[in-house]
Amino acid sequence: MLVQEFNRLLYWVSWGLLLFSLFAFIDAAIRREDAYRAANKQSKPFWLIFLGIAVAVNFFMGIFDFLPIIGLIATIVYIVDVRPALRQISGGRNWPRGRGSSSDGPYGPFNGR
């Protein structure tokens, strides 16, 4: 019974790792290429390759292999270091905000006064 519960826990942990790396891959894919250069991080293809490999490794390999751990480290580096820098450069989200205009500045609308 204890072994069965441990296997169930490992099953959910492996799904969590897969979803975590998939989120990082999708987030890296929707960011602009010039934001990577402006943030002085590696290029967009570099992160897409690393995070894509992490997704594939988490999907095809067990949790006790060393490659998923390397994929987890790459995912954590992206989430903790690269993603905040990209969000700061690109102003948060990558898609239009839906409100405001092109003359809005960081502290509100620019009136020219």
Side-chain angles (χ1 to χ4, degrees):
M1 174 131 175
L2 185 62
V3 173
Q4 187 178 16
E5 292 300 319
F6 184 69
N7 285 336
R8 184 176 294 152
L9 175 70
L10 288 180
Y11 173 79
W12 288 111
V13 167
S14 66
W15 268 104
L17 288 176
L18 177 65
L19 292 176
F20 184 53
S21 59
L22 188 61
F23 168 76
F25 178 78
I26 292 170
D27 186 73
I30 65 171
R31 301 290 172 184
R32 296 186 341 236
E33 171 68 34
D34 60 339
Y36 288 89
R37 289 190 306 266
N40 201 17
K41 303 297 177 186
Q42 294 290 332
S43 66
K44 184 175 182 174
F46 173 86
W47 284 108
L48 288 177
I49 289 170
F50 266 108
L51 295 173
I53 290 172
V55 169
V57 163
N58 284 326
F59 185 75
F60 290 113
M61 295 187 126
I63 196 170
F64 287 118
D65 291 332
F66 71 95
L67 287 177
I69 294 172
I70 294 172
L72 176 64
I73 291 170
T75 304
I76 289 172
V77 167
Y78 176 81
I79 293 293
V80 172
D81 182 40
V82 178
R83 185 173 186 254
L86 295 177
R87 288 184 70 168
Q88 184 179 13
I89 295 294
S90 63
R93 301 182 189 267
N94 196 23
W95 52 83
R97 294 186 181 145
R99 57 180 148 83
S101 69
S102 62
S103 66
D104 284 353
Y107 305 109
F110 177 72
N111 296 327
R113 295 183 211 170

